[in-house]
Amino acid sequence: MAMALALACSGAQAAPLPAPARAEVDALLTRLQSSGCQFNRNGSWYSGADARTHLLRKLDYLEKKDMIKNADQFIDLGASTSSSSGKPYMVKCGTAAPVESKAWLGAELKAIRAH
């Protein structure tokens, strides 16, 4: 019986993010892409467009593993640190000092939710 249940569950497809959560993540990534800010991962700086592409790949992975249910979890599990090095991602806008992406994305998510 346990084996049958395990086999039945192993074939289940992971669900994508609920539509409201996906809309928030898409809005976050659009803001990052259009911000003019740079995104640092593993010691190299990338454009907002490159960051968006990278984070969409991470989103896809997390959805397939059914690891996230909302934008906050996406920030925590996918958009804050490198899964290969464990180093925090950074965002640098203009001449301002770089900040951790978790803080930058969290502030942007708060602004999105306020509108």
Side-chain angles (χ1 to χ4, degrees), residues 3 5-6 31-32 36 56 58 64 69 88 90 94 96-97 112:
M3 180 62 113
L5 181 59
R31 283 183 178 220
L32 179 59
L56 281 171
K58 290 190 78 174
K64 285 180 181 174
K69 300 293 182 208
M90 304 296 287
I112 289 166

Side-chain angles (χ1 to χ4, degrees), residues 7-78:
L7 288 173
C9 290
S10 69
Q13 293 290 326
L17 277 177
R22 181 58 193 241
E24 286 182 338
V25 170
D26 287 341
L28 273 176
L29 297 181
T30 296
R31 283 183 178 220
L32 179 59
Q33 180 176 352
S34 63
S35 67
C37 299
Q38 295 181 310
F39 186 83
N40 185 294
R41 63 184 172 93
N42 298 322
S44 297
W45 290 100
Y46 297 90
S47 70
D50 289 338
R52 179 189 179 104
T53 299
H54 174 71
L55 294 176
L56 281 171
R57 283 194 304 266
K58 290 190 78 174
L59 174 64
D60 183 56
Y61 173 83
L62 292 168
E63 284 181 313
K64 285 180 181 174
K65 297 289 186 181
D66 201 22
M67 295 175 68
I68 57 173
K69 300 293 182 208
N70 57 53
D72 300 284
Q73 289 177 333
F74 169 69
I75 292 170
D76 289 342
L77 298 175

